[in-house]
Amino acid sequence: MKTLGKIIVAGVIGLSVFSGSGRLHAQEVKFEQLFKQTHKTTGDGSRQGAAIFDKYLFQCHNANRTIAIYDMEKQQLIEEIHTDAASKTYHCNNAGFGITRYDKSDFFPLLYISMENIKEHKVLVFRIQKGEHFKVSCVQTITFPNPEEIGVYYPNMVLNNEKSELIQMGYKQNSYKSNTPGNRIEIVHYKLPSLSDGNVILKADDILSRFDIPCITATQGAFCKKGKIYQVYGAPGGEWGIHFQCINLKTKKVEILDDIEAKGFPTEPEGFSVYKGSFICCGVNGDVYKFTVK
């Protein structure tokens, strides 16, 4: 398929950034559209979380029936693969690659996909096999404690590969909206279960540490790099807004926060990953953007 090649849309985002003293100063971020995904979505299979390893972008979908694989260098669709773990309640809100491989000969490390659906507070772990055709198989399920037990609703997963931690992000209240009184975003740390542990049901006693930050409506894709979580939030229009945020796990503070919809970001952000030092955001409509932080 023909690549779009040239940049289609570009904008500048004026960010609020916390300095070491806790005071705000300005920082500039550029975003530009790289290409548009060409695979079709049908029914309830909307684009959701996404993850990148090497040059390969894995685009997940609601209900987890298929994963579309793109070549980031050629900006082209390679293949759509069917999963062996589909459900109407699987939202696949975030995805990320770990560092462990199912077999030492595998090209890809394990792929972790979190559901966010309040009834599905779990993470599915997939082995990706690369041959003439790609193959995906679910090799582990990690279930978070019940939301009511620990006060973390609509949980997302973020991998901190540098510390072998599984981070759970969710809402203090049974709501993903920031206008819910008393609502906060909860960030909970667990040791990342080993593949040899089999299917794992985490308990409250397994929590290593936790903290909370001010609420932003509708958590979307996220990844962790060098002790910081980078995440996008929201959807266009209404009271939601679209936000970009950086959370420092060491200081437990928000370092960067901005409403990027006000600066021209046009679509609901879904997958968020990193490729060649730049942040990559996949929109629900298939647009793929690059963010560059100065």
Side-chain angles (χ1 to χ4, degrees):
M1 295 182 183
K2 187 176 180 182
T3 179
L4 297 183
K6 301 275 291 184
I7 292 168
I8 302 172
V9 178
V12 176
I13 308 167
L15 290 176
S16 296
V17 183
F18 286 91
S19 67
S21 64
R23 306 183 76 177
L24 293 170
H25 64 274
Q27 183 168 340
E28 197 175 79
V29 168
K30 292 183 179 180
F31 66 88
E32 55 192 29
Q33 184 180 338
L34 296 179
F35 66 98
K36 191 175 186 70
Q37 295 178 0
T38 55
H39 71 280
K40 304 298 181 183
T41 60
T42 57
D44 60 356
S46 60
R47 295 175 179 89
Q48 296 299 324
I52 297 173
F53 180 79
D54 195 67
K55 66 174 184 176
Y56 299 95
L57 166 65
F58 287 74
Q59 175 65 67
C60 303
H61 300 83
N62 186 62
N64 198 43
R65 296 186 185 94
T66 61
I67 298 175
I69 306 171
Y70 282 82
D71 184 321
M72 287 294 295
E73 292 179 356
K74 297 180 180 179
Q75 301 179 0
Q76 292 179 346
L77 177 66
I78 299 173
E79 187 175 3
E80 286 186 78
I81 54 177
H82 295 278
T83 78
D84 58 353
S87 172
K88 290 182 178 180
T89 55
Y90 286 172
H91 188 51
C92 302
N93 197 67
N94 195 35
F97 281 98
I99 56 175
T100 301
R101 286 167 169 77
Y102 183 89
D103 185 275
K104 63 181 181 180
S105 65
D106 286 354
F107 180 81
F108 293 101
L110 296 171
L111 175 63
Y112 293 72
I113 303 175
S114 60
M115 297 304 113
E116 192 200 40
N117 185 305
I118 195 167
K119 296 179 180 179
E120 299 286 3
H121 42 282
K122 65 178 60 171
V123 180
L124 301 183
V125 186
F126 289 92
R127 180 190 188 188
I128 306 291
Q129 292 172 275
K130 180 175 174 284
E132 183 180 356
H133 295 282
F134 287 81
K135 180 181 177 182
V136 59
S137 51
C138 185
V139 295
Q140 187 181 38
T141 300
I142 302 169
T143 304
F144 290 119
N146 288 329
E148 299 85 356
E149 179 186 2
I150 62 169
V152 183
Y153 294 86
Y154 298 94
N156 262 323
M157 166 278 316
V158 182
L159 294 172
N160 185 349
N161 289 323
E162 291 149 10
K163 289 200 169 185
S164 298
E165 285 186 351
L166 177 66
I167 298 174
Q168 178 187 27
M169 296 183 69
Y171 291 92
K172 183 176 182 178
Q173 306 293 335
N174 188 359
S175 168
Y176 51 81
K177 294 186 177 181
S178 57
N179 61 3
T180 301
N183 212 5
R184 305 275 291 181
I185 292 178
E186 299 283 334
I187 299 170
V188 186
H189 297 252
Y190 303 86
K191 178 183 177 182
L192 180 65
S194 169
L195 185 61
S196 62
D197 294 333
N199 294 336
V200 173
I201 300 177
L202 295 169
K203 305 296 183 184
D205 290 345
D206 295 317
I207 294 174
L208 301 176
S209 63
R210 66 186 294 175
F211 66 98
D212 60 73
I213 59 173
C215 187
I216 303 176
T217 297
T219 54
Q220 303 282 9
F223 66 89
C224 181
K225 189 174 179 64
K226 294 184 178 179
K228 298 180 181 182
I229 292 175
Y230 300 91
Q231 187 165 32
V232 284
Y233 303 77
E239 62 189 33
W240 286 34
I242 306 173
H243 293 87
F244 168 80
Q245 180 166 254
C246 171
I247 306 159
N248 189 314
L249 294 175
K250 183 176 181 180
T251 64
K252 302 179 182 179
K253 300 292 184 182
V254 173
E255 288 192 348
I256 304 174
L257 171 62
D258 195 56
D259 180 355
I260 60 176
E261 182 182 26
K263 307 304 191 302
F265 196 80
T267 188
E268 180 176 349
E270 297 291 356
F272 206 52
S273 193
V274 62
Y275 174 67
K276 291 188 175 180
S278 296
F279 303 159
I280 301 297
C281 182
C282 300
V284 72
N285 63 352
D287 291 342
V288 179
Y289 289 87
K290 179 175 79 170
F291 286 10
T292 306
V293 182
K294 222 175 185 182

